[in-house]
Amino acid sequence: ELGPSNSIAFLKKMGITSLVTAEENKEHNDENLAMVLGGLTYGISPLEMAGAYAAIANGGVYITPTFYTRMEDASGNIVLEPVQEKTRVMSEQNAYIAKSIVQEPVKSGGTATYCAISGMDVAAKTGTTDNSYDRWLCGFTPYYAAATWFGYDESEEVKGFSQNPAGQIWDAVMTDIHKNLQSASFQKPSGIVEQTICRTTGCL
């Protein structure tokens, strides 16, 4: 029902520009099932990953990333401000469900428990490519979204770390910038229905 082509169209709405469709390149494209696990022709930059994760954090609204807030002259007059477009890419309810799923790796037994921040809801997802060539940690809190990548320009195994080095960077930066912020949690929107499912029968 979903399929790679629909997934690519959705990801493009979330600011991902590096995906290749079969229409663009018949031999090397991302319209295949490997895309589910991140097996892409060119990959995705940390900037675009941060923007996509921020869309989930923002309740389903994608905001064009920028590198500055404003420019002022010597007198303090604003001479340049960025134009950041906002686009709803998913419902607030779907964004909340995605948030709840991506909180699981931070909980006990998850792959990113070291990214927990006291008093703060944290959503974080680790990532590792074949042969440990790429290590990722992407995630967000109610305040900030961030994506970190650790690897080499020429593919080489990332080794010598007891933990995911991208995750260690993410944890260090996010812990520091949250230390003076008030505790916060993800707010559940209306319209979410929860049911208990029997794991044996699949019935309510």
Side-chain angles (χ1 to χ4, degrees), residues 54-122:
I56 300 169
N58 289 329
V61 175
Y62 174 77
I63 303 173
T64 308
T66 183
F67 292 96
Y68 67 99
T69 53
R70 66 181 179 274
M71 292 178 65
E72 299 177 356
D73 63 18
S75 302
N77 300 309
I78 297 173
V79 295
L80 186 64
E81 286 186 285
V83 177
Q84 289 183 276
E85 294 183 10
K86 296 183 179 182
T87 309
R88 175 157 295 284
V89 293
M90 69 176 85
S91 71
E92 191 177 3
Q93 290 76 17
N94 280 348
Y96 179 80
I97 292 169
K99 285 179 195 177
S100 66
I101 292 170
V102 188
Q103 286 180 79
E104 291 302 314
V106 184
K107 296 178 180 177
S108 179
T111 57
T113 54
Y114 53 90
C115 291
I117 300 172
S118 179
M120 204 72 61
D121 273 358
V122 177

Side-chain angles (χ1 to χ4, degrees), residues 16 22 47 60 62 76 91-92 113 140 146 151 155 159 168 196 203:
I16 308 301
L47 174 65
Y62 174 77
S91 71
E92 191 177 3
T113 54
F140 51 84
S155 292
K159 52 187 173 182
Q168 291 176 287
T196 302
C203 297

Side-chain angles (χ1 to χ4, degrees), residues 24-186:
E24 295 166 331
N25 189 322
K26 296 277 188 227
E27 292 182 32
H28 303 288
N29 62 72
D30 297 316
E31 288 191 44
N32 56 66
L33 297 181
M35 183 178 67
V36 173
L37 297 175
L40 303 172
T41 305
Y42 299 115
I44 299 175
S45 74
L47 174 65
E48 291 189 351
M49 284 290 256
Y53 270 76
I56 300 169
N58 289 329
V61 175
Y62 174 77
I63 303 173
T64 308
T66 183
F67 292 96
Y68 67 99
T69 53
R70 66 181 179 274
M71 292 178 65
E72 299 177 356
D73 63 18
S75 302
N77 300 309
I78 297 173
V79 295
L80 186 64
E81 286 186 285
V83 177
Q84 289 183 276
E85 294 183 10
K86 296 183 179 182
T87 309
R88 175 157 295 284
V89 293
M90 69 176 85
S91 71
E92 191 177 3
Q93 290 76 17
N94 280 348
Y96 179 80
I97 292 169
K99 285 179 195 177
S100 66
I101 292 170
V102 188
Q103 286 180 79
E104 291 302 314
V106 184
K107 296 178 180 177
S108 179
T111 57
T113 54
Y114 53 90
C115 291
I117 300 172
S118 179
M120 204 72 61
D121 273 358
V122 177
K125 181 71 185 76
T126 59
T128 306
T129 58
D130 290 348
N131 303 312
S132 290
Y133 285 166
D134 302 273
R135 304 302 301 271
W136 285 90
L137 195 296
C138 302
F140 51 84
T141 70
Y143 290 101
Y144 296 106
T148 53
W149 169 83
F150 192 101
Y152 301 94
D153 290 342
E154 299 294 329
S155 292
E156 182 180 326
E157 182 183 356
V158 173
K159 52 187 173 182
F161 295 91
S162 59
Q163 286 183 325
N164 177 356
Q168 291 176 287
I169 296 168
W170 193 96
D171 175 52
V173 172
M174 293 292 267
T175 297
D176 186 60
I177 63 176
H178 284 80
K179 63 187 177 186
N180 294 319
L181 298 176
Q182 289 188 336
S183 297
S185 58
F186 300 129

